[in-house]
Amino acid sequence: MGLHRAWWQMTVRLASGDTFCVEWLTRSADPFSGTLRDDQIERYLLRSRSGGILEYVHAHTGRAIVPEFDFSKKLLPHASCDATRSYGFFSHGLYLRCQTIRADMGHGAKALHEAATLKRLPLDPWVVSGTDIDMRDQADGTIVQYAADDISSLIEVGRNDFVFWDSPQVQLVMEEPAFFVLRVGALPPDLMFPEALYRSNFAGAVSYLDEPAYLFLRDLHEGATAVADTADLHDLTTRFQKAVSDLRNGRSKDSCLALSIAFENPDVAGSRLASFRVREKSIPAYEAAYSHGWYEMAVGVPGVWHQCSFHLDAFIVQMHRGFGVEFVRSPEKMLRLHFAFHRGAARNFDGYWGVGLYGTGDPALQTLIIEVAYAMGATHFMFYSGNVLGDAHVSFEDQLRLTRFIRKHAATHPRHSPRVVCLAARVCLTLPHGYHFDNYVTQWECLWGLDRFGLDRDAGDGATYRQVIATFLTEADRMLRAGIDFDVAFDGPSFHPVGYEEVRHIRNDAQIEITHS
């Protein structure tokens, strides 16, 4: 017989005397054991210090969306092993790494879910749109920080992801149906820590890992990173993955521990959180060397965003000159080839993927990129504006127009969850472990930026690297022309071809080996 559903409520009183309160509905018998799973929470609400009562719900499923930061294990109090219990409440334990005791028990707490002022925030993690800066361009070419009207305009057209470098503006988004990131330099004392950790739309202090694959390739190509003469493609892949893991788990401002490092500063959250550790679990890699997303997800990076600067003419020439392949002249099929890398990685590692639109790409392809990526299971649709006056910048007006298009397209083309959509392909096309495919392969005429892996060098089984990749592209072109939907993967220990009816392996001898499930 199943457990009865029960409402639980926790009120936190701060040193200032202010309080905030969280409330959740669950069937779990003991939410303070550290074993409560997020999917066991049916509803989740917060009353902030300002008094606003918010319920966080999934815009598509209606289920509760709980905070990012291990709600049960990190954000709820836990009983000590020798604690006694009364009506489910323990006598003493730990809360946010601080000693806590049960001072009193009573009845009559006001239920948040019955409040007339309750505001539901429908958050949409399946279709996320945003950028990485809190500034915009103006008609005269100057740049300014978002004004209140700018943020209202963005939310009105469907923007639901914001990054703030100037903290006061976050007050305009905190209680709207949008996720928000606060960069470490924008974490002020008045942000109300630890309250912010209990806001389900607070996405932490890091937006993404910024091009770890390109930076690794560049350093190899320029000789900034020494490599042993005996290193092969497997060795380089392992070394790259270690570099990504070190970046993700280290003490940089862009690591999963960025918030924990910020808490060490008493000006941010007070001394009580100095030893408190939380991890930001959902930080993706934002890549121009997009195929490396496979190797990044293999070591725990949950997703990858593709920097999209597509030009069909340039791609067709690149395929012909670099590999002798007369690729089908179709912008949609060009996109499907590239996005097959991301969908294959997301499927294999249970991750997610997205696209970033850049001003350097063909503007005529922008809406097609959105349509194809959406159809293939992308969750994130971002706009580059980090260098606001540079060529890569997408103007504020274009961001409004394209965000409106994203929302309209999603509304008129409903789909299953992105995880289900990413299972659509029945065929998978693979490259050997250690290979990659991106603009740097053709630009530098080698793999991993190293001449020893030049495209015309022997790949080890009588064929050159160029011939192996050409076989891959020829087969991809054939399937695209035939209307065969496929994913791309890399053979090796982390490839699990579950659910594919056919896998077409490109081997080091430039031959195709076909296996069936």
Side-chain angles (χ1 to χ4, degrees), residues 170-395:
V170 73
Q171 304 294 337
L172 302 173
V173 173
M174 289 172 70
E175 301 193 355
E176 296 294 335
F179 300 100
F180 65 94
V181 168
L182 278 173
R183 294 297 292 171
V184 170
L187 297 176
D190 61 358
L191 183 61
M192 313 175 201
F193 280 107
E195 179 190 316
L197 297 175
Y198 292 86
R199 293 182 179 270
S200 299
N201 58 339
F202 176 48
V206 181
S207 304
Y208 52 80
L209 302 177
D210 193 7
E211 298 195 72
Y214 162 69
L215 296 176
F216 188 83
L217 293 174
R218 181 199 64 188
D219 287 348
L220 287 177
H221 185 65
E222 295 179 354
T225 298
V227 180
D229 292 340
T230 57
D232 60 15
L233 294 182
H234 291 251
D235 297 329
L236 288 172
T237 303
T238 300
R239 184 166 178 174
F240 167 66
Q241 290 178 315
K242 183 181 184 304
V244 171
S245 292
D246 291 346
L247 173 64
R248 184 169 181 263
N249 299 309
R251 291 184 56 83
S252 76
K253 63 180 177 61
D254 293 326
S255 79
C256 292
L257 298 176
L259 268 179
S260 297
I261 295 167
F263 289 158
E264 295 173 2
N265 179 357
D267 291 336
V268 170
S271 60
R272 288 186 177 271
L273 289 184
S275 62
F276 183 56
R277 293 291 178 265
V278 291
R279 291 180 61 84
E280 298 184 44
K281 299 176 292 185
S282 301
I283 302 171
Y286 205 170
E287 290 289 11
Y290 54 88
S291 66
H292 282 76
W294 176 276
Y295 303 122
E296 291 163 342
M297 286 194 192
V299 290
V301 177
V304 62
W305 299 346
H306 185 146
Q307 296 182 7
C308 296
S309 296
F310 292 109
H311 290 269
L312 180 60
D313 289 344
F315 175 74
I316 295 297
V317 170
Q318 186 181 56
M319 295 302 96
H320 174 72
R321 290 181 179 174
F323 304 100
V325 176
E326 301 299 331
F327 203 86
V328 57
R329 190 176 186 81
S330 163
E332 178 184 349
K333 289 178 170 52
M334 172 185 68
L335 297 176
R336 284 190 170 276
L337 169 64
H338 288 81
F339 297 163
F341 284 90
H342 308 313
R343 189 175 63 179
R347 173 174 177 162
N348 193 77
F349 300 107
D350 195 21
Y352 68 93
W353 68 281
V355 293
L357 297 178
Y358 275 59
T360 48
D362 182 352
L365 297 179
Q366 289 176 331
T367 56
L368 183 63
I369 289 171
I370 293 167
E371 291 172 346
V372 175
Y374 177 85
M376 294 181 68
T379 56
H380 286 68
F381 303 84
M382 314 306 287
F383 305 103
Y384 181 76
S385 57
N387 181 7
V388 177
L389 297 182
D391 292 340
H393 173 64
V394 179
S395 73

Side-chain angles (χ1 to χ4, degrees), residues 83-130:
T84 60
R85 293 179 181 272
S86 180
Y87 297 100
F89 296 99
F90 56 83
S91 58
H92 60 283
L94 290 176
Y95 173 59
L96 303 183
R97 297 288 297 274
C98 298
Q99 295 289 336
T100 184
I101 62 171
R102 185 184 68 217
D104 196 6
M105 292 193 305
H107 302 280
K110 294 182 178 180
L112 300 184
H113 64 275
E114 295 177 353
T117 57
L118 172 65
K119 178 180 180 180
R120 298 179 83 241
L121 291 188
L123 299 173
D124 188 355
W126 290 2
V127 182
V128 180
S129 176

